[in-house]
Coordinates of all heavy atoms in Angstrom, one line a residue:
F1133 N -51.3 105.1 -105.5 CA -50.6 105.0 -106.9 C -51.5 104.5 -108.0 O -51.3 105.0 -109.1 CB -49.3 104.1 -106.7 CG -48.5 104.5 -105.6 CD1 -48.1 103.5 -104.6 CD2 -47.9 105.7 -105.6 CE1 -47.2 104.0 -103.6 CE2 -47.0 106.1 -104.6 CZ -46.7 105.2 -103.6
D1134 N -52.4 103.6 -107.7 CA -53.3 103.2 -108.8 C -54.2 104.4 -109.3 O -54.4 104.5 -110.6 CB -54.1 102.0 -108.3 CG -53.3 100.8 -107.9 OD1 -52.2 100.7 -108.4 OD2 -53.9 100.0 -107.1
T1135 N -54.7 105.1 -108.4 CA -55.5 106.3 -108.8 C -54.8 107.3 -109.6 O -55.2 107.9 -110.5 CB -56.2 107.0 -107.5 OG1 -57.0 106.0 -106.8 CG2 -57.1 108.1 -107.9
A1137 N -52.0 106.7 -111.2 CA -51.7 106.3 -112.6 C -52.9 106.4 -113.6 O -52.7 106.7 -114.8 CB -51.3 104.8 -112.4
R1159 N -42.4 107.8 -111.9 CA -42.3 107.8 -110.5 C -43.1 106.8 -109.8 O -42.7 106.2 -108.8 CB -42.5 109.1 -110.0 CG -41.5 110.2 -110.4 CD -41.6 111.4 -109.5 NE -40.9 112.6 -110.0 CZ -41.4 113.6 -110.6 NH1 -42.7 113.7 -110.8 NH2 -40.6 114.6 -111.1
I1160 N -44.3 106.7 -110.3 CA -45.3 105.7 -109.8 C -44.8 104.3 -109.9 O -44.7 103.5 -109.0 CB -46.7 105.7 -110.4 CG1 -47.4 107.1 -110.0 CG2 -47.5 104.5 -110.0 CD1 -48.7 107.3 -110.8
E1161 N -44.2 104.0 -111.0 CA -43.6 102.7 -111.3 C -42.4 102.4 -110.3 O -42.2 101.3 -109.7 CB -43.2 102.5 -112.7 CG -42.6 101.1 -113.0 CD -43.6 100.0 -112.8 OE1 -44.8 100.4 -112.9 OE2 -43.1 98.9 -112.6
L1162 N -41.6 103.5 -110.2 CA -40.5 103.3 -109.2 C -40.9 103.2 -107.8 O -40.5 102.4 -106.9 CB -39.6 104.6 -109.3 CG -38.7 104.7 -110.6 CD1 -38.0 106.1 -110.6 CD2 -37.8 103.6 -110.8
R1163 N -42.0 103.9 -107.4 CA -42.5 104.0 -106.1 C -43.1 102.5 -105.8 O -43.0 102.0 -104.7 CB -43.5 104.9 -105.9 CG -44.1 105.0 -104.5 CD -43.0 105.2 -103.5 NE -43.4 105.1 -102.2 CZ -43.5 104.0 -101.5 NH1 -43.0 102.8 -102.1 NH2 -44.0 103.9 -100.2
R1164 N -43.8 101.9 -106.9 CA -44.3 100.6 -106.6 C -43.2 99.6 -106.3 O -43.5 98.6 -105.7 CB -45.1 100.1 -107.8 CG -46.4 100.8 -107.9 CD -47.2 100.4 -109.3 NE -48.5 100.9 -109.3 CZ -49.3 100.8 -110.4 NH1 -48.8 100.2 -111.5 NH2 -50.6 101.3 -110.3
R1165 N -42.0 99.8 -106.8 CA -40.9 98.9 -106.6 C -40.3 99.2 -105.2 O -39.5 98.4 -104.7 CB -39.9 99.0 -107.6 CG -40.3 98.6 -109.0 CD -39.2 98.9 -110.0 NE -39.7 98.5 -111.4 CZ -38.9 98.6 -112.5 NH1 -37.7 99.1 -112.3 NH2 -39.4 98.3 -113.7
Q1166 N -40.7 100.3 -104.6 CA -40.1 100.5 -103.2 C -41.2 100.2 -102.1 O -42.4 100.2 -102.5 CB -39.8 102.1 -103.1 CG -38.6 102.4 -104.1 CD -38.4 104.0 -103.9 OE1 -39.2 104.7 -103.2 NE2 -37.3 104.4 -104.6
P1167 N -40.7 99.9 -100.9 CA -41.6 99.6 -99.9 C -42.6 100.8 -99.6 O -42.1 101.9 -99.5 CB -40.8 99.3 -98.7 CG -39.5 98.9 -99.3 CD -39.3 99.7 -100.5
D1208 N -47.3 94.1 -100.1 CA -46.4 95.2 -100.5 C -45.6 95.0 -101.7 O -44.5 94.4 -101.6 CB -45.5 95.5 -99.2 CG -44.7 96.8 -99.4 OD1 -44.9 97.5 -100.3 OD2 -43.8 97.0 -98.6
P1209 N -46.2 95.3 -102.9 CA -45.5 95.0 -104.1 C -44.1 95.5 -104.2 O -43.2 95.0 -104.9 CB -46.3 95.4 -105.2 CG -47.7 95.5 -104.5 CD -47.6 95.8 -103.1
G1210 N -43.8 96.7 -103.6 CA -42.6 97.3 -103.7 C -41.6 96.8 -102.7 O -40.6 97.5 -102.5
N1211 N -41.9 95.9 -101.9 CA -40.8 95.4 -100.9 C -39.7 94.8 -101.6 O -39.8 93.6 -102.0 CB -41.5 94.4 -100.0 CG -40.7 94.2 -98.7 OD1 -39.5 94.0 -98.8 ND2 -41.5 94.2 -97.6
R1215 N -38.3 90.6 -102.6 CA -37.9 90.2 -103.9 C -36.4 89.6 -103.9 O -36.1 88.7 -104.6 CB -38.0 91.6 -104.9 CG -39.5 92.0 -105.1 CD -39.4 93.1 -106.1 NE -40.7 93.7 -106.2 CZ -41.6 93.2 -107.1 NH1 -41.3 92.1 -107.9 NH2 -42.8 93.8 -107.2

Side-chain angles (χ1 to χ4, degrees):
F1133 302 125
D1134 294 338
T1135 305
R1159 292 197 191 103
I1160 291 172
E1161 183 63 24
L1162 291 176
R1163 183 60 188 87
R1164 282 175 174 174
R1165 296 178 182 178
Q1166 294 179 355
D1208 185 8
N1211 194 315
R1215 295 181 184 275

